[in-house]
Amino acid sequence: MAQQSKRYRALREKVTTEEPIALADAVRLLKTFGTTKFNQTVEVSTNLGIDPRQSDQNVRGSVALPHGIGKTVRVAVFAQGDNAEKATAAGADIVGGDDLAAKIKGGFLDFDVALATPDMMGVVGPLGRLLGPRGLMPSPRSGTVTTDITAGVKEFKAGKIEFRNDKGGNVAAPVGKLSFSESELVENIITFLNHLRTVKPAAAKGSYLRSVTISATMSPGIRVIA
């Protein structure tokens, strides 16, 4: 632990200002933090000018990043009949209905995203207390309840990400790996931030993107000009 803390302090010294800097400069600096034996995930954290206590100011959605997120995404799908066959053909890792619901009730949560066709919400609904706290509950707002299950599976397998605000009005999302090129990370981050702007609640007043910070799994954060 002492060695890790020494490493972290050394990286922290590279962040020479608390003021936000240009995204390209921040990504260039972040890539010098790749001093671990594993390929760290890059994350964007934002603080939004919303009141999370108001239901009409909550932010939730999904966006396909141009370069994916650099990991294999495990997709579970609630579907039946032709849609189940389409989901399997599109690359879903597990497909089911009542049987999948029973597995989840038994503790199975070995997937990163859950999709559902609208006709399966009667099966999915009772799983809210299990899937909701983990951010896995299918929702039309996040694009995880869909009539086009083929496109849905392919998009999430290719690196489409979900996001939602927490109780503090913060939204965080993975946007790639440190092994990505600077341009790939910049393009992914811009795509995410631009999409985040499009889902600004109409009821939210004043400054929306209050702060933007990028970091890697084991690195200090770097503030970015929003």
Side-chain angles (χ1 to χ4, degrees):
M1 185 63 71
Q3 184 177 2
Q4 181 182 7
S5 124
K6 182 179 178 182
R7 172 192 168 275
Y8 188 92
R9 285 198 306 271
L11 295 181
R12 191 75 188 85
E13 289 175 2
K14 290 187 175 185
V15 184
T16 56
T17 177
E18 292 297 321
E19 294 300 311
I21 63 175
L23 177 58
D25 295 334
V27 167
R28 190 172 304 115
L29 175 59
L30 187 69
K31 282 185 63 65
T32 70
F33 293 173
T35 56
T36 59
K37 292 182 180 178
F38 70 98
N39 192 8
Q40 298 178 57
T41 295
V42 175
E43 184 176 86
V44 174
S45 300
T46 63
N47 178 254
L48 304 181
I50 60 174
D51 183 352
R53 297 169 297 179
Q54 307 299 321
S55 60
D56 62 350
Q57 292 193 43
N58 279 279
V59 170
R60 183 174 185 179
S62 59
V63 58
L65 301 179
H67 304 289
I69 57 174
K71 65 170 282 189
T72 300
V73 179
R74 296 161 298 175
V75 177
V77 176
F78 290 90
Q80 57 189 352
D82 288 345
N83 281 325
E85 293 178 8
K86 290 177 182 178
T88 300
D93 297 273
I94 181 168
V95 180
D98 291 325
D99 54 335
L100 177 53
K103 284 187 69 173
I104 290 171
K105 289 175 182 175
F108 174 76
L109 290 166
D110 189 22
F111 50 90
D112 302 300
V113 61
L115 306 182
T117 53
D119 60 310
M120 296 300 292
M121 290 311 291
V123 174
V124 176
L127 302 174
R129 62 183 181 83
L130 297 172
L131 299 179
R134 296 172 174 83
L136 294 171
M137 185 66 179
S139 160
R141 285 182 64 189
S142 65
T144 47
V145 175
T146 175
T147 55
D148 190 346
I149 203 65
T150 298
V153 171
K154 287 182 177 179
E155 286 174 352
F156 278 98
K157 291 293 286 186
K160 191 174 188 178
I161 58 169
E162 287 185 84
F163 58 86
R164 63 190 302 176
N165 64 270
D166 63 16
K167 292 180 180 179
N170 306 297
V171 172
V175 289
K177 297 286 188 179
L178 269 186
S179 62
F180 282 23
S181 69
E182 290 179 19
S183 62
E184 287 171 337
L185 285 172
V186 167
E187 288 171 20
N188 274 3
I189 293 167
I190 288 174
T191 299
F192 170 69
L193 293 177
N194 284 345
H195 185 76
L196 195 57
R197 290 184 179 96
T198 70
V199 295
K200 176 184 179 181
K205 304 302 179 184
S207 176
Y208 178 56
L209 275 179
R210 288 180 173 172
S211 70
V212 177
T213 302
I214 64 172
S215 63
T217 306
M218 298 181 69
S219 89
I222 305 168
R223 292 191 64 198
V224 174
I225 297 171

